[in-house]
């Protein structure tokens, strides 16, 4: 398994890059940096944190609104994967071509960044790295900061895309319930998994038969960096995500679940499919089985 500072050439890029790596490569002509920070406000549609971005960002970074730019805007559900045409249009606007190396970070939870990684991976692009430690790590490492709007970038043609079978539908989840060869993994906090915390809408609890690996337990609480590969592998194995078993990851809306897929890739384990609609679909349909407690 490569280390965060390894940069094989050509693409695919390493899954993680360190703040030191990014400092050294700022200004590289093929580097594209994305700030994917998203704000969740009660009773409002989520949106990218443009105000925070303009207050300070990694030099040369582009502002990415995950719901607007990399989601299916026609879906009634939030953050659903975009169509191939929507994705191609978004990366064209962001100046991301076939030779680009994308580094994505967020100001809060790293799964806003791993979701971007997952969407690129869905369309066959492995040229995306997550900045380990995110914005917090960048500031603590005394990385340079740029303010104001993003620098203009020239649109470039999107590279060839090939959609991968990384999405699990609710039918696939139903079929996996009770199957000893499949593991359904909930990435939400333990209070949400048990049903102790009430969701914003729908039923409390979890998909019947699923197990819990909170996305927050994949990172160091102090630094926000991902745990060492051996520790990630141990956690994944504890919920059945190991050699010889298929997996499905889910959460509230397909965001935190992407961190499970990312951790599996880091640990060189089979990547679970992501139930993209997650509980925003499942918990609001009384015909779909749930558990609590």
């Amino acid at each position: 398994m490569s280390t965060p500072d390894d940069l094989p050439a050509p693409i695919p890029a390493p899954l993680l890059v360190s703040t030191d790596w990014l400092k050294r490569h700022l200004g590289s002509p093929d580097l594209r940096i994305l700030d994917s920070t998203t704000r969740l406000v009660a009773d409002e549609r989520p949106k990218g944190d443009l105000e925070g971005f303009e207050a300070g960002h990694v030099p040369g970074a582009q502002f990415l609104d995950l719901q607007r730019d990399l989601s299916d805007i026609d879906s009634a559900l939030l953050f659903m994967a975009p169509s191939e045409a929507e994705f191609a249009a978004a990366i064209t606007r962001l100046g991301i071509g076939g030779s680009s190396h994308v580094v994505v970070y967020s100001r809060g939870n790293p799964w806003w960044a791993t979701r971007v990684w997952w969407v690129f991976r869905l369309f066959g692009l492995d040229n995306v790295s997550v900045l380990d430690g995110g914005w917090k790590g960048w500031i603590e490492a005394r990385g340079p900061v740029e303010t104001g709007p993003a620098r203009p970038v020239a649109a470039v043609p999107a590279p060839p895309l090939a959609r991968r079978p990384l999405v699990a539908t609710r039918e696939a989840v139903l079929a996996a319930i009770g199957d000893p060869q499949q593991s359904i993994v909930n990435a939400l906090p333990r209070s949400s998994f048990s049903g102790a915390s009430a969701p914003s809408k729908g039923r409390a609890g979890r998909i019947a038969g699923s197990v819990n690996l909170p996305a927050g337990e994949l990172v160091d609480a102090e630094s926000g960096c991902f745990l060492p590969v051996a520790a990630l592998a141990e956690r994944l194995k504890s919920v059945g995500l190991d050699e010889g078993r298929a997996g499905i990851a889910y959460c509230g809306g397909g965001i935190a679940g992407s961190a499970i897929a990312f951790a599996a890739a880091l640990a060189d384990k089979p990547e679970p499919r992501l139930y993209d609609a997650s509980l925003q679909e499942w918990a609001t349909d009384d015909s779909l089985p749930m558990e609590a407690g």
Side-chain angles (χ1 to χ4, degrees):
M1 184 67 194
S2 60
T3 65
D5 283 343
D6 287 340
L7 181 58
I11 294 168
L15 295 171
L16 281 175
V17 293
S18 68
T19 53
D20 286 342
W21 183 97
L22 188 54
K23 284 181 184 180
R24 295 196 306 270
H25 289 80
L26 282 179
S28 297
D30 290 335
L31 183 66
R32 299 291 182 268
I33 306 170
L34 302 178
D35 182 329
S36 64
T37 308
T38 300
R39 296 176 60 187
L40 296 178
V41 180
D43 301 322
E44 294 184 15
R45 286 183 72 82
K47 60 183 179 181
D49 185 11
L50 179 59
E51 181 179 339
F53 175 86
E54 294 189 344
H57 52 265
V58 175
Q62 294 294 303
F63 170 69
L64 176 72
D65 187 318
L66 186 56
Q67 173 60 34
R68 181 195 67 194
D69 299 329
L70 282 190
S71 300
D72 180 357
I73 59 174
D74 294 324
S75 175
L77 302 178
L78 298 173
F79 301 120
M80 296 294 288
S83 68
E84 183 175 309
E86 288 171 327
F87 178 74
I91 63 174
T92 293
R93 289 195 306 271
L94 292 165
I96 297 171
S99 63
S100 301
H101 177 191
V102 179
V103 174
V104 59
Y105 71 91
S106 62
R107 297 169 185 278
N109 295 320
W111 35 94
W112 295 113
T114 61
R115 174 67 187 195
V116 175
W117 165 85
W118 181 85
V119 174
F120 272 75
R121 200 166 182 84
L122 175 65
F123 289 102
L125 299 184
D126 296 322
N127 58 342
V128 181
S129 305
V130 171
L131 178 62
D132 208 13
W135 178 249
K136 177 177 179 288
W138 184 255
I139 294 301
E140 290 178 350
R142 301 181 182 273
V145 174
E146 188 172 71
T147 60
R151 302 176 193 173
V153 293
V156 298
L161 304 176
R163 188 177 176 115
R164 290 169 168 153
L166 302 183
V167 176
T169 63
R170 69 177 183 176
E171 290 75 21
V173 177
L174 277 168
I177 294 175
D179 183 346
Q181 295 304 311
Q182 298 199 62
S183 184
I184 307 172
V185 182
N186 177 307
L188 293 172
R190 298 193 182 279
S191 60
S192 298
F193 178 79
S194 69
S197 295
S200 57
K201 62 179 181 179
R203 298 167 290 166
R206 59 188 179 273
I207 294 173
S210 60
V211 292
N212 193 204
L213 177 56
E217 296 183 11
L218 301 173
V219 297
D220 178 78
E222 183 64 28
S223 68
C225 292
F226 278 88
L227 298 177
V229 166
L232 292 176
E234 182 180 340
R235 282 163 171 73
L236 293 166
K237 185 175 182 179
S238 73
V239 292
L241 294 180
D242 201 12
E243 302 297 338
R245 294 190 73 185
I248 296 173
Y250 77 97
C251 52
I255 304 298
S258 70
I260 303 290
F262 185 78
L266 275 176
D268 200 22
K269 300 297 182 183
E271 294 175 39
R273 287 179 293 163
L274 183 62
Y275 177 26
D276 206 20
S278 285
L279 288 178
Q280 61 177 330
E281 174 181 70
W282 195 278
T284 56
D285 185 340
D286 290 343
S287 71
L288 299 173
M290 290 190 70
E291 298 172 340

